[in-house]
Amino acid sequence: ATMSQSQLRQILKARVSRNGNEFPVLIRADRKTAHEKVREVMDICTGVGIWKLSFVAIQEHKAG
């Protein structure tokens, strides 16, 4: 599912206000994902006070 930056920011702000900021955020991306987009998500997280970020690179599966 796709969401805007403001939607993501609202979701994360609500989570922080309910649970504090001591939870990890896992950012997944594949090689087609522009670094700029990953950076935007990171900036939103730190902007709402979330500092525990982890990253996963998704590898494509080739049919064969």
Side-chain angles (χ1 to χ4, degrees), residues 8 25 27 36-46:
L8 177 60
V25 172
I27 300 172
E36 170 185 310
K37 296 299 180 188
V38 173
R39 186 77 203 163
E40 288 172 4
V41 172
M42 292 170 58
D43 289 345
I44 290 168
C45 289
T46 57

Side-chain angles (χ1 to χ4, degrees), residues 2-3 6 17-19 30 32 34 37-38 40-42 46-51 55 61 63:
T2 302
M3 69 177 67
S6 62
S17 71
R18 279 194 316 269
N19 305 323
D30 62 21
K32 297 176 195 167
K37 296 299 180 188
V38 173
E40 288 172 4
V41 172
M42 292 170 58
T46 57
V48 299
I50 300 168
W51 299 96
F55 302 90
H61 295 284

Side-chain angles (χ1 to χ4, degrees), residues 18-29:
R18 279 194 316 269
N19 305 323
N21 66 349
E22 291 299 315
F23 60 88
V25 172
L26 179 63
I27 300 172
R28 297 186 327 171

